[in-house]
Amino acid sequence: QADLGNLLLRGQGEQQDSVRTREWFEKAAESGDAIGAFNYGVCLAEGVGIDKDEAKALIWLRKSADTILNAQYWYGRMLMEGRGAEAQPEEGRSWVAKAAEVGMVDAQILLGECLLTGRGGSKDHAEALVLFRKAADQGHAGAMFAVGAMLGGGHEVEPDRPEAQKWFQAAADKGHAYAQ
């Protein structure tokens, strides 16, 4: 069921598959299953097998966020973006930080961006660089580019242009257009 749900989120499958999968997730969520709650929340947020309902999605994502890593990221991101409720950047950032702490690459990148801009809290360019490096070390081309940009100068960290060039080259090799 989870595999089918993932295929549907990528735009594959038939409409009847979307409805059936959403129904499975909804039943699992209503029975108290945290993974089902997360998957049902994603269905609601993305309109898979049901009309989009971001407010309801937030409710189900919150029910799963204490135990499901991906739910922490989704819930936090939606709060930061004001999807389903008024934007709550501070609370959203704290949820994204939980997912980043345990190594979720997308969460590391989003938290790094927050630390660069001050979204949802204070700025900390040095910590943003740490997070971007962690994501870059896991092969994320955008994070590689961000490390290069930060080390290139102007980001409240010590510039290191040879190291920046190394990261730009790594990002370019992975197809990152700006790095190229």
Side-chain angles (χ1 to χ4, degrees):
Q1 291 174 354
D3 289 341
L4 179 58
N6 288 328
L7 288 172
L8 295 170
L9 286 173
R10 288 194 297 265
Q12 300 170 345
E14 304 291 325
Q15 177 60 26
Q16 65 193 27
D17 294 329
S18 296
V19 172
R20 184 176 43 227
T21 301
R22 188 263 311 154
E23 289 171 348
W24 291 332
F25 292 151
E26 185 176 9
K27 287 177 184 171
E30 289 172 348
S31 74
D33 180 80
I35 294 172
F38 166 69
N39 287 322
Y40 182 48
V42 171
C43 288
L44 289 162
E46 298 297 312
V48 175
I50 195 168
D51 290 336
K52 269 189 181 184
D53 187 340
E54 292 181 334
K56 196 171 178 182
L58 274 180
I59 293 167
W60 287 104
L61 290 169
R62 175 60 189 96
K63 288 181 181 195
S64 59
D66 287 327
T67 56
I68 306 296
L69 172 66
N70 289 340
Q72 293 169 353
Y73 172 73
W74 272 78
Y75 182 65
R77 192 183 82 206
M78 286 184 70
L79 287 175
M80 292 176 74
E81 295 170 357
R83 291 178 56 196
E86 186 174 323
Q88 299 172 44
E90 295 84 8
E91 184 176 353
R93 180 171 161 169
S94 71
W95 282 102
V96 169
K98 290 178 185 192
E101 287 170 13
V102 293
M104 181 183 213
V105 172
D106 289 337
Q108 290 169 336
I109 293 167
L110 180 54
L111 183 58
E113 291 169 358
C114 290
L115 290 164
L116 277 178
T117 63
R119 183 178 181 193
S122 61
K123 290 183 182 183
D124 186 340
H125 287 208
E127 185 60 27
L129 180 58
V130 168
L131 289 164
F132 288 139
R133 279 186 192 267
K134 286 179 180 180
D137 287 341
Q138 295 180 65
H140 192 281
M144 292 172 182
F145 178 80
V147 171
M150 291 192 75
L151 292 176
H155 287 284
E156 301 174 17
V157 296
E158 188 67 31
D160 183 341
R161 287 184 174 75
E163 184 73 6
Q165 182 61 36
K166 178 187 113 180
W167 285 107
F168 283 139
Q169 184 64 54
D173 290 346
K174 286 194 155 279
H176 193 279
Y178 290 124
Q180 292 171 338

